[in-house]
């Protein structure tokens, strides 16, 4: 299953740049000179390829983060956005869009990453403040409350914006993988690398944690350490993904559930398979976003929700 | 005035091209039913002033400018919170903006004419219920400006001044058209929002509206002339594929800048910010 998911991701990423609203000559793309006048090459390498890579990275991150959050919180309905990471990232992005001109380092991606880090820091401080150890219940409640609080701040920032800024902010919230270059991807890659290194280590502890905290402890898992690692790595992956493509919904909940339905609950399989399938799924959704109402484009978040919502409901009903 | 209503409805028609036939039918019906008073529904609903109004509130900065330009500035007692021109408006009462007009403050000023924009339907309803005389309109392009100017002139008793100014504007626009018609027409894109220094998150002018009309008059070929909407979200692929020779993008900070040349391999139009990849190319 992992291998099938991996190959579907490779096929999707390799095929996506060949699909688009304008017809381009492949001969010019690959053999033409890399000058600004070679439009076909520009469209392929500036508009399409980074976009496919971004979609794969974001899809993989969100799906994997979904798996980890569901395992950590032992809640099937947890998503990468449950703990306030996306709301923090969105607040950062809104501030950058609205006050970008007045800030020393203008950049929506870095601002959203900073916002995500802020949210993670606050939630973590709350979850570990009350007593020794790390309470997932407090984590959940703090995350949900922080989501609401940041949403209010987002509305306040939007109220201060002008029309063009409000539109850009709204569009960012709908998810947009048109990164137009490799800058945002390169900036997010180190974070994604660290997160996935942690995921690789987390597969076994998450398996044991799913049987309950006591059971995991009796088998030698340092529960607090595993929970902390899960929380920070999944938040890191989510923050990096959101900084690239905005808060794209549903990937983090549908893909893990679909994979579990196919292969069972072993995180050693579910984690990599979800990553690859999430990547392939988002690349396909993005192809849809680019082509459905061409030459205009649908926000990709709308596609994932339109495809994912009914699919998830079908899964729910079918499972019973 | 009959012409004015037709023009404003044509504006609507341009903005929503899906139902031109229905709009035409409604336009014809309205013209037959309401006749010359149709443009200022508020005036028709309440009592039309016999004497020219002398307590005018304008909620639209461009109309404020028109009122001052035709010599009715002394009668303007309230303006929108976004009015800054001419400088005399700084001494007038500010009554809110397009989406948050302060109804109580407007009423408390006891205006005998309120100029509002057609999309402010909530305010229009409330003013009508309070029997406050009003004038409302909608613009869809350059040609509507002089129409509105003439109608405003009639409503404030300065039709002659308004006609003179409108004719002058039309003559100058026509001069520009004549001059530009013999020159090459570069493919042009007007961007009015984007992530600074990149091709990301671009919001551009579409094939209808002021910006398109101005570009057309000035002798540019709008690369999005086929997009029948005032603005559109442009993907990097679309922006590259349309290959504009001239781009206008918002300066940050400052007025719009003209950008030349194609995108760099790093995905940015020169001049790129120092941090952008490929900035040196």
């Amino acid at each position: 299953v992992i291998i099938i998911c991996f190959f579907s991701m490779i096929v999707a990423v390799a095929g996506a740049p060949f699909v688009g609203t304008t017809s381009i000559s492949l001969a010019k793309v690959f053999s033409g000179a890399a000058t600004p006048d070679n439009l076909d090459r520009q469209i392929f390498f500036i508009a399409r390829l980074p976009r496919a890579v971004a979609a794969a990275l974001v899809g993989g991150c969100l799906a994997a983060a979904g798996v980890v959050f569901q395992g950590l919180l032992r809640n099937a309905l947890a998503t990468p956005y449950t703990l306030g990471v996306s709301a923090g990232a969105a607040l950062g992005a809104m501030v950058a869009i609205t006050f970008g001109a007045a800030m020393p380092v203008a950049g929506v991606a870095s601002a959203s990453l900073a916002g995500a880090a802020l949210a993670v820091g606050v939630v973590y401080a709350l979850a570990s403040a009350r007593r020794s150890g790390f309470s997932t219940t407090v984590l959940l409640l703090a995350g949900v409350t922080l989501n609401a609080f940041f949403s209010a701040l987002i509305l306040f920032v939007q109220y201060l914006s002008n029309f063009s800024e409000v539109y850009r902010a709204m569009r960012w919230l709908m998810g947009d993988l048109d990164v137009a270059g490799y800058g945002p991807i390169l900036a997010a890659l180190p974070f994604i690398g660290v997160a996935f290194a942690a995921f690789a280590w987390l597969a076994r502890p998450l398996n044991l944690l799913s049987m309950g905290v006591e059971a995991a402890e009796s088998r030698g898992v340092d529960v607090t350490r595993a929970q902390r690692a899960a929380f920070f790595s999944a938040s890191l992956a989510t923050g990096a993904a959101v900084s690239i493509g905005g808060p794209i919904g549903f990937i983090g909940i549908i893909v893990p559930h679909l994979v579990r339905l196919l292969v069972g609950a072993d995180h050693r399989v579910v984690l990599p398979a979800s990553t690859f399938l999430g990547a392939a799924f988002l690349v396909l959704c993005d192809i849809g976003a680019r082509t459905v109402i061409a030459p205009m484009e649908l926000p990709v978040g709308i596609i994932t929700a339109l495809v994912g919502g009914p699919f998830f409901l079908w899964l729910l009903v079918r499972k019973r | 005035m009959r012409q004015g209503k037709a023009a404003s409805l044509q504006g609507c028609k341009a903005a929503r091209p899906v139902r031109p036939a229905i709009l035409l039918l409604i336009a014809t019906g309205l013209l037959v039913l309401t006749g010359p008073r149709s443009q200022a529904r508020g005036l028709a609903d309440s009592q039309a002033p016999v004497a020219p109004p002398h307590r005018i509130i304008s909620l639209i900065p461009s109309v404020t400018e028109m009122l001052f330009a035709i010599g009715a500035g002394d009668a303007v007692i309230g303006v929108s919170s976004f009015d800054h021109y001419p400088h005399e408006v700084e001494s007038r009462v500010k009554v809110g903006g397009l989406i948050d007009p302060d109804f109580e403050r407007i009423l408390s000023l006891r205006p005998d004419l309120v100029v509002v924009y057609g999309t402010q339907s909530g305010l229009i309803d409330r003013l009508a219920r309070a029997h406050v005389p009003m004038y409302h309109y909608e613009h869809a392009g350059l040609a509507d400006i002089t129409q509105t100017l003439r109608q405003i002139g009639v409503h404030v008793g300065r039709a002659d001044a308004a006609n003179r100014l409108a004719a002058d504007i039309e003559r100058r626009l026509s001069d520009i058209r004549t001059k530009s018609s013999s020159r090459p027409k570069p493919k042009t894109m007007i961007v009015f929002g984007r992530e600074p220094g990149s091709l990301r998150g671009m919001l551009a002018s579409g094939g209808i509206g002021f910006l398109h009309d101005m570009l057309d008059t000035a002798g540019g070929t709008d690369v999005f002339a086929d997009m029948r909407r005032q603005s559109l979200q442009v993907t990097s692929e679309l922006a590259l594929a349309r290959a504009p020779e001239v781009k206008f993008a918002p300066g940050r900070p400052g007025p719009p800048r003209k950008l030349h040349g194609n995108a760099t391999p790093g995905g940015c139009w020169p001049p790129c910010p120092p941090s952008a990849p490929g900035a040196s190319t």
Side-chain angles (χ1 to χ4, degrees):
Chain A
V1 173
I2 296 176
I3 294 171
I4 295 173
C5 291
F6 178 73
F7 275 107
S8 56
M9 174 187 80
I10 295 295
V11 170
V13 174
F18 296 95
V19 185
T21 51
T22 35
S23 59
I24 55 174
S25 144
L26 292 181
K28 273 192 190 166
V29 169
F30 293 110
S31 57
T35 61
D37 297 326
N38 187 345
L39 262 191
D40 301 63
R41 194 180 165 90
Q42 281 209 324
I43 288 176
F44 192 90
F45 285 108
I46 295 178
R48 291 191 190 168
L49 189 62
R51 200 174 167 148
V53 174
L57 278 178
V58 171
C61 280
L62 292 178
V67 172
V68 174
F69 274 126
Q70 283 148 23
L72 167 68
L73 300 172
R74 295 208 286 141
N75 186 333
L77 293 176
T79 74
Y81 305 145
T82 304
L83 296 188
V85 180
S86 68
L91 180 63
M94 301 299 110
V95 169
I97 289 171
T98 307
F99 306 111
M103 293 197 323
V105 186
V108 177
S110 44
S112 71
L113 210 54
L118 172 74
V120 170
V122 172
V123 170
Y124 176 75
L126 289 171
S128 49
R130 232 165 53 147
R131 56 197 150 95
S132 60
F134 191 66
S135 162
T136 49
T137 315
V138 177
L139 197 66
L140 192 59
L141 288 174
V144 171
T145 312
L146 207 65
N147 256 330
F149 180 71
F150 277 150
S151 301
L153 286 179
I154 288 169
L155 289 178
F156 178 65
V157 172
Q158 288 211 343
Y159 181 75
L160 300 176
S161 317
N162 67 33
F163 281 139
S164 151
E165 287 158 358
V166 169
Y167 183 86
R168 274 182 62 208
M170 267 190 57
R171 187 63 187 74
W172 186 88
L173 287 174
M174 292 179 196
D176 179 20
L177 292 164
D178 186 22
V179 289
Y182 301 93
I185 298 175
L186 291 176
L189 261 185
F191 301 105
I192 295 174
V194 172
F196 274 89
F199 290 166
W201 174 77
L202 273 170
R204 191 180 156 272
L206 280 178
N207 274 347
L208 295 172
L209 269 177
S210 65
M211 295 187 292
V213 172
E214 286 82 11
E217 264 174 349
S218 69
R219 294 188 181 216
V221 176
D222 183 343
V223 170
T224 308
R225 189 164 154 236
Q227 284 176 334
R228 270 190 199 140
F231 171 67
F232 279 116
S233 58
S235 299
L236 201 59
T238 307
V242 174
S243 81
I244 297 176
I248 298 168
F250 274 98
I251 305 266
I253 191 157
I254 300 167
V255 175
H257 281 285
L258 180 66
V259 171
R260 279 195 203 100
L261 210 67
L262 292 171
V263 301
D266 185 352
H267 282 91
R268 286 171 300 181
V269 183
V270 173
L271 252 176
S274 295
T275 306
F276 298 139
L277 194 68
F281 178 65
L282 191 55
V283 173
L284 288 180
C285 285
D286 190 48
I287 292 177
R290 286 193 284 137
T291 49
V292 169
I293 53 163
M296 305 286 290
E297 129 166 352
L298 268 181
V300 71
I302 293 179
I303 302 251
T304 55
L306 281 181
V307 175
F311 181 73
F312 185 65
L313 289 178
W314 176 76
L315 267 186
L316 269 182
V317 175
R318 192 175 159 272
K319 220 175 163 182
R320 296 281 154 85
Chain B
M1 204 175 296
R2 189 184 290 263
Q3 227 178 352
K5 182 68 187 174
S8 93
L9 278 161
Q10 269 167 11
C12 296
K13 196 166 72 177
R16 301 182 195 87
V18 274
R19 290 182 226 153
I22 297 175
L23 275 173
L24 201 65
L25 204 66
I26 296 171
T28 318
L30 278 177
L31 283 175
V32 171
L33 286 173
T34 57
R37 49 174 197 166
S38 59
Q39 178 63 33
R41 196 175 63 197
L43 281 176
D45 290 346
S46 59
Q47 297 193 335
V50 183
H54 60 281
R55 296 183 68 78
I56 305 172
I57 294 177
S58 160
L59 276 155
I60 306 105
S62 58
V63 169
T64 309
E65 191 178 339
M66 287 179 188
L67 288 167
F68 276 88
I70 60 177
D74 288 342
V76 175
I77 54 163
V79 294
S80 88
S81 307
F82 297 91
D83 270 280
H84 298 293
Y85 186 87
H87 66 87
E88 288 100 314
V89 300
E90 302 297 351
S91 64
R92 306 303 199 266
V93 181
K94 307 277 180 173
V95 295
L98 188 71
I99 49 174
D100 58 349
D102 188 339
F103 183 64
E104 282 188 24
R105 188 168 288 184
I106 292 171
L107 277 192
S108 71
L109 289 174
R110 305 192 169 282
D112 50 12
L113 179 66
V114 183
V115 186
V116 296
Y117 198 67
T119 54
Q120 295 178 294
S121 49
L123 180 63
I124 291 173
D125 286 348
R126 296 172 84 179
L127 287 171
R129 264 181 282 159
H131 298 289
V132 176
M134 67 180 135
Y135 169 78
H136 60 88
Y137 71 99
E138 272 186 60
H139 271 171
L142 212 50
D144 294 342
I145 295 178
T146 46
Q147 287 282 5
T148 303
L149 182 54
R150 289 192 167 94
Q151 285 161 13
I152 296 258
V154 170
H155 277 89
V156 302
R158 292 183 179 269
D160 288 346
N163 277 332
R164 272 198 305 277
L165 184 56
D168 184 46
I169 292 172
E170 282 160 356
R171 182 185 52 73
R172 280 152 66 190
L173 284 173
S174 158
D175 285 352
I176 295 172
R177 267 187 211 104
T178 313
K179 269 186 203 162
S180 67
S181 62
S182 56
R183 295 185 183 174
K185 295 184 176 295
K187 289 200 287 178
T188 306
M189 181 185 296
I190 300 177
V191 177
F192 48 84
R194 64 166 176 160
E195 203 166 300
S198 82
L199 303 184
R200 212 179 168 188
M202 282 195 289
L203 195 60
S205 159
I208 51 175
F210 284 104
L211 290 172
H212 170 78
D213 291 351
M214 279 157 62
L215 176 57
D216 196 47
T217 305
T221 304
D222 192 340
V223 291
F224 295 127
D226 57 326
M227 307 283 190
R228 303 305 295 165
R229 43 195 296 167
Q230 297 212 5
S231 66
L232 66 153
Q233 174 87 27
V234 182
T235 60
S236 56
E237 172 158 353
L238 190 60
L240 290 170
R242 296 288 166 113
E245 295 161 85
V246 180
K247 280 89 57 178
F248 287 97
R252 290 182 72 96
R257 291 186 303 177
K258 188 173 166 183
L259 309 176
H260 288 282
N262 289 328
T264 64
C268 122
W269 282 321
C272 298
S275 58
S280 56
T281 43

Coordinates of all heavy atoms in Angstrom, one line a residue, chain B residues 105-150:
Chain B
R105 N -25.9 60.5 12.4 CA -25.2 61.7 12.1 C -25.8 62.4 10.9 O -25.9 63.6 10.8 CB -23.7 61.5 12.0 CG -22.9 62.7 12.0 CD -21.5 62.5 12.1 NE -21.1 62.1 13.5 CZ -19.9 61.9 13.9 NH1 -18.9 62.0 13.1 NH2 -19.6 61.6 15.2
I106 N -26.0 61.6 9.8 CA -26.6 62.1 8.6 C -27.9 62.8 8.9 O -28.1 64.0 8.5 CB -26.8 61.0 7.5 CG1 -25.4 60.4 7.1 CG2 -27.6 61.5 6.3 CD1 -25.5 59.2 6.2
L107 N -28.8 62.2 9.6 CA -30.1 62.8 9.9 C -29.9 64.0 10.8 O -30.6 65.0 10.5 CB -31.0 61.8 10.7 CG -31.7 60.7 9.9 CD1 -32.7 60.1 10.8 CD2 -32.4 61.4 8.7
S108 N -29.0 64.0 11.7 CA -28.8 65.1 12.6 C -28.4 66.4 11.9 O -28.5 67.5 12.4 CB -27.9 64.8 13.8 OG -26.6 64.7 13.3
L109 N -27.8 66.2 10.8 CA -27.3 67.4 10.0 C -28.4 68.0 9.2 O -28.3 69.1 8.6 CB -26.2 67.0 9.0 CG -24.8 66.6 9.7 CD1 -23.9 66.1 8.7 CD2 -24.2 67.8 10.4
R110 N -29.6 67.4 9.2 CA -30.8 67.9 8.5 C -30.5 68.3 7.1 O -30.6 69.4 6.6 CB -31.4 69.1 9.2 CG -31.7 68.9 10.6 CD -32.5 70.0 11.3 NE -33.0 69.6 12.6 CZ -34.1 68.7 12.7 NH1 -34.7 68.3 11.7 NH2 -34.4 68.4 13.9
P111 N -30.0 67.3 6.3 CA -29.6 67.6 4.9 C -30.9 67.8 4.0 O -31.9 67.2 4.3 CB -28.9 66.3 4.5 CG -29.5 65.2 5.3 CD -29.9 65.9 6.6
D112 N -30.7 68.5 2.9 CA -31.8 68.6 2.0 C -31.4 67.9 0.7 O -32.2 67.8 -0.3 CB -32.3 70.0 1.7 CG -31.1 71.0 1.4 OD1 -30.0 70.4 1.1 OD2 -31.3 72.2 1.3
L113 N -30.2 67.3 0.7 CA -29.9 66.3 -0.4 C -28.7 65.4 0.1 O -27.7 65.9 0.6 CB -29.4 67.1 -1.7 CG -29.0 66.1 -2.8 CD1 -30.2 65.4 -3.4 CD2 -28.4 66.9 -4.0
V114 N -28.9 64.1 0.0 CA -27.8 63.2 0.3 C -27.5 62.4 -0.9 O -28.3 61.9 -1.6 CB -28.3 62.2 1.4 CG1 -27.1 61.3 1.8 CG2 -28.7 62.9 2.6
V115 N -26.2 62.5 -1.3 CA -25.7 61.7 -2.5 C -25.1 60.4 -2.0 O -24.2 60.4 -1.2 CB -24.7 62.5 -3.3 CG1 -24.4 61.7 -4.6 CG2 -25.2 63.9 -3.6
V116 N -25.7 59.3 -2.4 CA -25.2 58.0 -2.0 C -25.0 57.1 -3.2 O -25.4 57.4 -4.4 CB -26.3 57.2 -1.1 CG1 -26.5 58.0 0.2 CG2 -27.6 57.0 -1.8
Y117 N -24.2 56.0 -3.0 CA -23.9 55.1 -4.1 C -25.0 54.0 -4.2 O -25.6 53.7 -3.2 CB -22.5 54.5 -4.0 CG -22.0 53.9 -5.2 CD1 -21.7 54.8 -6.3 CD2 -21.9 52.5 -5.4 CE1 -21.2 54.2 -7.5 CE2 -21.4 52.0 -6.6 CZ -21.1 52.9 -7.7 OH -20.6 52.4 -8.8
G118 N -25.3 53.6 -5.4 CA -26.4 52.6 -5.6 C -26.3 51.4 -4.8 O -27.4 50.7 -4.6
T119 N -25.1 50.9 -4.5 CA -25.0 49.7 -3.7 C -25.3 49.9 -2.2 O -25.4 48.9 -1.5 CB -23.6 49.1 -3.8 OG1 -22.7 50.1 -3.4 CG2 -23.3 48.7 -5.3
Q120 N -25.5 51.1 -1.8 CA -25.8 51.3 -0.4 C -27.3 51.1 -0.1 O -27.9 52.1 0.4 CB -25.3 52.7 0.1 CG -23.8 52.9 0.0 CD -23.4 54.3 0.3 OE1 -23.7 55.3 -0.4 NE2 -22.7 54.5 1.5
S121 N -27.8 50.0 -0.4 CA -29.2 49.8 -0.4 C -29.8 50.0 1.0 O -30.9 50.5 1.1 CB -29.6 48.4 -0.9 OG -28.8 47.4 -0.3
G122 N -29.1 49.6 2.0 CA -29.6 49.7 3.4 C -29.8 51.2 3.7 O -30.9 51.6 4.2
L123 N -28.8 52.0 3.4 CA -28.9 53.5 3.6 C -30.0 54.1 2.8 O -30.8 55.0 3.2 CB -27.6 54.1 3.3 CG -27.5 55.6 3.6 CD1 -27.7 56.0 5.0 CD2 -26.1 56.2 3.1
I124 N -30.1 53.7 1.5 CA -31.1 54.2 0.6 C -32.5 54.0 1.2 O -33.4 54.9 1.3 CB -31.0 53.6 -0.8 CG1 -29.7 54.1 -1.4 CG2 -32.2 53.9 -1.7 CD1 -29.4 53.4 -2.8
D125 N -32.8 52.7 1.7 CA -34.1 52.4 2.3 C -34.4 53.3 3.5 O -35.5 53.8 3.6 CB -34.1 50.9 2.7 CG -34.2 50.0 1.5 OD1 -34.5 50.5 0.4 OD2 -34.0 48.8 1.7
R126 N -33.4 53.4 4.4 CA -33.6 54.2 5.6 C -33.8 55.7 5.3 O -34.7 56.3 5.9 CB -32.4 54.1 6.5 CG -32.2 52.6 7.0 CD -31.0 52.4 7.8 NE -31.1 52.8 9.2 CZ -30.1 52.7 10.0 NH1 -28.9 52.3 9.7 NH2 -30.3 53.0 11.3
L127 N -33.0 56.2 4.3 CA -33.2 57.6 3.9 C -34.6 57.8 3.3 O -35.3 58.8 3.6 CB -32.2 58.1 3.0 CG -30.7 58.3 3.5 CD1 -29.7 58.5 2.4 CD2 -30.7 59.4 4.5
A128 N -35.1 56.8 2.5 CA -36.4 57.0 1.9 C -37.5 57.0 3.0 O -38.4 57.7 2.9 CB -36.6 55.8 0.9
R129 N -37.3 56.1 4.0 CA -38.3 56.0 5.0 C -38.3 57.3 5.9 O -39.4 57.7 6.4 CB -38.0 54.8 6.0 CG -38.9 53.6 5.6 CD -38.6 52.5 6.6 NE -37.3 51.9 6.2 CZ -36.6 51.2 7.1 NH1 -37.0 51.0 8.3 NH2 -35.5 50.6 6.7
A130 N -37.2 58.0 6.0 CA -37.1 59.2 6.7 C -37.4 60.4 5.8 O -37.4 61.6 6.3 CB -35.7 59.4 7.3
H131 N -37.8 60.1 4.6 CA -38.2 61.2 3.6 C -37.1 62.2 3.4 O -37.3 63.4 3.3 CB -39.5 61.9 4.0 CG -40.6 60.9 4.0 ND1 -41.2 60.4 2.9 CD2 -41.3 60.4 5.1 CE1 -42.2 59.6 3.2 NE2 -42.3 59.6 4.6
V132 N -35.8 61.7 3.4 CA -34.7 62.6 3.1 C -34.5 62.6 1.6 O -34.3 61.5 1.1 CB -33.5 62.1 3.9 CG1 -32.3 63.0 3.5 CG2 -33.7 62.2 5.4
P133 N -34.4 63.7 1.0 CA -34.2 63.7 -0.5 C -32.8 63.2 -0.8 O -31.8 63.5 0.0 CB -34.2 65.2 -0.8 CG -34.9 65.9 0.3 CD -34.7 65.1 1.5
M134 N -32.7 62.3 -1.8 CA -31.4 61.8 -2.1 C -31.2 61.6 -3.6 O -32.2 61.6 -4.3 CB -31.2 60.5 -1.4 CG -32.1 59.4 -1.8 SD -31.8 57.9 -0.9 CE -33.5 57.4 -0.6
Y135 N -30.0 61.4 -3.9 CA -29.6 61.1 -5.3 C -28.7 59.9 -5.3 O -27.7 59.9 -4.5 CB -28.9 62.3 -6.0 CG -28.3 62.0 -7.3 CD1 -29.1 61.9 -8.5 CD2 -26.9 61.8 -7.4 CE1 -28.5 61.6 -9.7 CE2 -26.3 61.5 -8.6 CZ -27.1 61.4 -9.7 OH -26.6 61.0 -10.9
H136 N -29.0 58.9 -6.0 CA -28.1 57.7 -6.0 C -27.9 57.3 -7.4 O -28.7 57.5 -8.3 CB -28.6 56.6 -5.1 CG -30.0 56.0 -5.5 ND1 -30.1 55.1 -6.5 CD2 -31.2 56.4 -5.1 CE1 -31.4 54.8 -6.6 NE2 -32.1 55.6 -5.8
Y137 N -26.7 56.7 -7.6 CA -26.3 56.3 -9.0 C -25.3 55.2 -8.9 O -24.8 54.9 -7.8 CB -25.6 57.5 -9.6 CG -24.3 57.8 -9.0 CD1 -23.1 57.4 -9.6 CD2 -24.2 58.4 -7.8 CE1 -21.9 57.6 -9.0 CE2 -23.0 58.6 -7.2 CZ -21.8 58.2 -7.8 OH -20.6 58.4 -7.2
E138 N -25.0 54.5 -10.0 CA -23.9 53.6 -10.0 C -23.1 53.8 -11.3 O -23.6 54.1 -12.3 CB -24.5 52.1 -10.0 CG -24.7 51.6 -8.6 CD -25.1 50.1 -8.6 OE1 -24.3 49.3 -9.1 OE2 -26.2 49.8 -8.2
H139 N -21.8 53.6 -11.1 CA -20.9 53.8 -12.2 C -20.4 52.5 -12.7 O -20.1 51.6 -11.9 CB -19.7 54.6 -11.8 CG -19.9 56.1 -11.9 ND1 -19.0 57.0 -11.4 CD2 -20.9 56.8 -12.5 CE1 -19.5 58.2 -11.7 NE2 -20.6 58.1 -12.3
A140 N -20.2 52.3 -14.0 CA -19.6 51.1 -14.5 C -18.4 51.4 -15.5 O -17.8 50.5 -15.9 CB -20.6 50.3 -15.3
G141 N -18.2 52.7 -15.8 CA -17.1 53.0 -16.7 C -16.9 54.5 -16.8 O -17.6 55.3 -16.2
L142 N -15.9 54.8 -17.7 CA -15.5 56.2 -17.8 C -16.7 57.1 -18.3 O -16.8 58.2 -17.9 CB -14.4 56.2 -18.8 CG -13.3 57.3 -18.7 CD1 -12.8 57.3 -17.3 CD2 -12.2 57.0 -19.7
A143 N -17.5 56.5 -19.3 CA -18.5 57.4 -19.9 C -19.6 57.8 -18.8 O -20.3 58.8 -19.0 CB -19.2 56.6 -21.0
D144 N -19.7 57.0 -17.7 CA -20.7 57.3 -16.7 C -20.4 58.6 -15.9 O -21.3 59.2 -15.4 CB -20.9 56.2 -15.8 CG -21.5 54.9 -16.4 OD1 -22.1 55.1 -17.5 OD2 -21.3 53.8 -15.9
I145 N -19.1 58.9 -15.9 CA -18.7 60.1 -15.1 C -19.4 61.3 -15.5 O -20.0 62.1 -14.7 CB -17.1 60.2 -15.1 CG1 -16.5 59.0 -14.5 CG2 -16.7 61.5 -14.4 CD1 -14.9 59.1 -14.6
T146 N -19.3 61.6 -16.8 CA -19.9 62.9 -17.2 C -21.4 62.9 -17.2 O -22.0 63.9 -16.9 CB -19.4 63.2 -18.7 OG1 -19.5 62.1 -19.5 CG2 -17.9 63.7 -18.7
Q147 N -22.0 61.7 -17.4 CA -23.4 61.6 -17.2 C -23.8 62.0 -15.8 O -24.7 62.8 -15.5 CB -23.9 60.1 -17.4 CG -23.8 59.7 -18.8 CD -25.0 60.2 -19.6 OE1 -25.8 61.0 -19.1 NE2 -25.1 59.8 -20.9
T148 N -23.1 61.4 -14.8 CA -23.4 61.7 -13.4 C -23.2 63.2 -13.1 O -24.0 63.8 -12.4 CB -22.6 60.8 -12.5 OG1 -22.8 59.5 -12.8 CG2 -22.9 61.0 -11.0
L149 N -22.1 63.7 -13.6 CA -21.7 65.1 -13.4 C -22.9 66.0 -13.8 O -23.3 66.9 -13.1 CB -20.5 65.4 -14.2 CG -19.9 66.8 -14.0 CD1 -19.7 67.2 -12.6 CD2 -18.6 66.9 -14.8
R150 N -23.4 65.7 -15.0 CA -24.5 66.5 -15.5 C -25.8 66.4 -14.7 O -26.5 67.4 -14.4 CB -24.9 66.1 -17.0 CG -23.8 66.5 -18.0 CD -24.3 66.3 -19.4 NE -23.4 67.0 -20.3 CZ -22.4 66.3 -21.0 NH1 -22.2 65.0 -20.8 NH2 -21.7 67.0 -21.8

